Amino acid sequence: MALLEQGVAVALASDPSARRLAALTDEYVRLGLVSPPCPLTLTGSPVDEELYIHFLRHVNEPSQNSASPYGFGTILVDAPCSGLGTMSRYPEIRLRRAPEDCAALVQLQQAILDAAWVRLLPGGRLVYITCTANPAENGEQVQAVRARHDDASLVQEYEGGDWELFGEYFYGAMLRKG
């Protein structure tokens, strides 16, 4: 919705949370925005991660999205993460996160990034962002994408620094395909 507010055309938006997806319609109306042409509805709580990854891999097949049978020029992955960069707002997060939670998130992020990479057009950009200070979910994840895909190059990376706002930590990287 932030992209739409800035006038950026959004062809598709998805989320592994059925609750957040259900709330999107009301938010679009509240903000006076036009909703994406391909709304996604997933049911179940929590959403099956395999279903989400399957969706990402197959979303742009001609039978699913006639706008482009080949892929997307830009993909933004606001990855599900441990949220350890938001402790100033949610100090209890440190009590809710265990090391095995982070390990599972790293695997999910890897699957999402690989599924998105398949749908990225040659020359396209993949923007990856998190709100965690965990290196395994940030720079190490981006390095791993580059190791798995020889056509991936790092364009830009932001870690802490200018992204530290109000005591919070954000990470972002832009990769180019080809």
Side-chain angles (χ1 to χ4, degrees):
M1 284 187 280
L3 292 171
L4 290 170
E5 285 183 306
Q6 296 299 313
V8 175
V10 175
L12 177 72
S14 69
D15 194 291
S17 167
R19 178 187 52 80
R20 284 192 295 252
L21 284 171
L24 279 180
T25 302
D26 291 341
E27 283 299 301
Y28 285 117
V29 171
R30 185 181 70 79
L31 294 170
L33 299 171
V34 176
S35 62
C38 282
L40 168 68
T41 305
L42 295 177
T43 57
S45 183
V47 170
D48 183 350
E49 292 171 357
E50 303 249 341
L51 175 62
Y52 184 57
I53 300 304
H54 175 80
F55 166 76
L56 285 173
R57 287 189 178 130
H58 301 286
V59 66
N60 208 31
E61 290 179 349
S63 61
Q64 296 288 331
N65 179 355
S66 60
S68 170
Y70 305 109
F72 298 100
T74 302
I75 298 175
L76 169 65
V77 174
D78 181 357
C81 68
S82 60
L84 296 173
T86 63
M87 285 193 278
S88 65
R89 266 188 299 157
Y90 308 108
E92 74 284 358
I93 201 163
R94 77 181 86 203
L95 303 174
R96 293 190 326 233
R97 294 286 184 243
E100 57 272 11
D101 297 335
C102 292
L105 283 166
V106 167
Q107 288 181 340
L108 176 59
Q109 293 159 356
Q110 175 182 333
I112 290 171
L113 285 166
D114 286 342
W117 196 258
V118 169
R119 303 325 286 163
L120 192 61
L121 290 168
R125 299 170 298 176
L126 187 145
V127 178
Y128 176 73
I129 58 175
T130 68
C131 58
T132 184
N134 181 4
E137 297 178 75
N138 293 338
E140 291 174 21
Q141 196 66 273
V142 169
Q143 290 172 2
V145 169
R146 294 176 64 204
R148 288 190 306 275
H149 302 282
D150 353 343
D151 58 347
S153 61
L154 181 64
V155 175
Q156 202 163 12
E157 184 175 40
Y158 302 95
E159 187 164 12
D162 295 337
W163 283 53
E164 284 187 66
L165 304 171
F166 309 108
E168 298 205 356
Y169 185 93
F170 295 92
Y171 173 85
M174 182 188 306
L175 297 166
R176 184 169 305 280
K177 186 175 192 174

